[in-house]
Amino acid sequence: MASERERNPRGHGARLRDELVEAADALLETVRGEEELSMRAVARQAGVAPQSVYLHFADKRALMTAVYALRFRDLLEVLGDATRGLADPRERLLAFAGAYAQYAEQHPGHYRVLFGTAGTTDWEPTQMVGLEAFTILRDAVAECRDDAVESATACLWAGLHGIVTLRRDRPSFPWPPLDGLLSTLVADHTRAPSAHA
Amino acid sequence: MASERERNPRGHGARLRDELVEAADALLETVRGEEELSMRAVARQAGVAPQSVYLHFADKRALMTAVYALRFRDLLEVLGDATRGLADPRERLLAFAGAYAQYAEQHPGHYRVLFGTAGTTDWEPTQMVGLEAFTILRDAVAECRDDAVESATACLWAGLHGIVTLRRDRPSFPWPPLDGLLSTLVADHTRAPSAHA
DNA sequence: TGTACATCAGTGAACGCGCGTTCACTGATGTAC
DNA sequence: TGTACATCAGTGAACGCGCGTTCACTGATGTAC
């Protein structure tokens, strides 16, 4: 394991930093929560000694923050790409919801780190980034209704979060198909006319 | 600590079982997740030696299952009490939502165990109980709308879950007041006429 | 009434484990003179 | 061109910790005769 890795050339020690973030990122997918991810496992995955992690990160929290920032930017990009250029607000919201759910499904470990961990006052570095994504939602909702826009937007996000986490954690519940869930979620919170009537 | 406890009288050894469940139940509130709760901590809290837990529970999972069952029945009772006798379906849903959110807020640790942990195929003992609570929701939703009842009900539950977990884990987000969130959630998914128009 | 025995509610001591973190060290590479 | 020195990218070895779990044991209480 460790013997396979050869040390970085002089002047490029910072490469290990990226390797460590990448290792932690990969391991997060194999694990149920941030707490289960150990510094020693990250070091093993990267092929270095446990202490070497401390060459680049002061402690575990610092490493996790680096992963967190990386993944949040990633998700934001996905959501931006999915919604950009869609003129119809409901179409935009459906695209957002679909991309959000797909991301959560494809990266359950990362999603858990992004939204499933307890945020503390001293550790919510991506608050502003999150608000940026929230703005996409609110603008679209505001185009569809006049009353309770803030609440409806928060419900939309909470609904998305609830759907992806409960589907993941309570798989034995008789879930309706995801497509129907998302379209009902969007239609209801944008007060779209009922498809039935 | 341990010296303060005196052993149960002969024939009443089963009392320790309840004390252990109670201890685990109490400790779950002080902890971020089920994994953080240790058998040794439970034993300490109950005032007995670590091994004594094994007199009543085969392993950690068995202990957690006991707490889980206890708390699920508790929540079900709360939800039943809150909604019983309310004739108007939207009123019933609002009462359900309020009781649900209040329970989650007052017992964050228990709520996390009930809905925040990964359920595995071999460990979802309360599936049926959960469906019972879900039925309260679906019946009320069905009284309000004809289309997409199953999806709307699932969205309602997911929305509730998302609201209580995100409010807890992302407190720095600019949340609208809870009352408005819940009434928007219920109104939208029951397709109530807009309060605005 | 006395005593051997069984049962019961636990405990003493230990196991091996992986963890986060620290301290002193190494050995290759570049640089100044 | 040679060599002393500084820098850099790491490692060796160890620390103390709490964990889940197991095994053999204890000491009080009841029961049979």
Side-chain angles (χ1 to χ4, degrees), chain B residues 2 17 73-74 80 89 124 128 133 145 159:
Chain B
R17 199 197 125 96
R73 275 195 300 272
D74 188 30
E124 280 184 275
M128 288 172 49
R145 63 189 289 170

Side-chain angles (χ1 to χ4, degrees), chain B residues 121-193:
Chain B
T121 313
D122 55 305
W123 191 59
E124 280 184 275
T126 53
Q127 187 187 340
M128 288 172 49
V129 186
L131 287 177
E132 189 181 324
F134 192 77
T135 300
I136 302 180
L137 282 181
R138 191 187 44 220
D139 289 352
V141 170
E143 288 183 53
C144 299
R145 63 189 289 170
D146 295 328
D147 67 311
V149 169
E150 290 293 329
S151 282
T153 311
C155 283
L156 236 173
W157 176 36
L160 278 173
H161 178 71
I163 286 169
V164 302
T165 54
L166 287 173
R167 268 168 47 98
R168 181 195 63 200
D169 291 337
R170 293 293 176 269
S172 71
F173 181 81
W175 290 102
L178 181 60
D179 280 3
L181 279 177
L182 296 184
S183 60
T184 299
L185 182 72
V186 169
D188 285 3
H189 287 309
T190 58
R191 299 199 152 275

Side-chain angles (χ1 to χ4, degrees), chain B residues 15-81:
Chain B
R15 280 184 195 163
L16 178 55
R17 199 197 125 96
D18 294 345
E19 291 175 42
L20 289 169
V21 172
E22 209 172 306
D25 190 62
L27 283 175
L28 268 176
E29 282 302 352
T30 72
V31 132
R32 274 210 317 249
E34 190 195 330
E35 308 79 18
E36 262 180 51
L37 181 64
S38 74
M39 295 293 253
R40 298 182 95 105
V42 170
R44 269 194 304 272
Q45 172 85 2
V48 295
Q51 324 82 282
S52 301
V53 182
Y54 294 87
L55 296 173
H56 297 283
F57 299 98
D59 53 21
K60 191 178 173 183
R61 158 95 343 148
L63 173 58
M64 294 313 305
T65 301
V67 177
Y68 193 98
L70 174 77
R71 278 294 156 183
F72 218 117
R73 275 195 300 272
D74 188 30
L75 172 59
L76 242 193
E77 204 172 317
V78 166
L79 294 175
D81 288 353

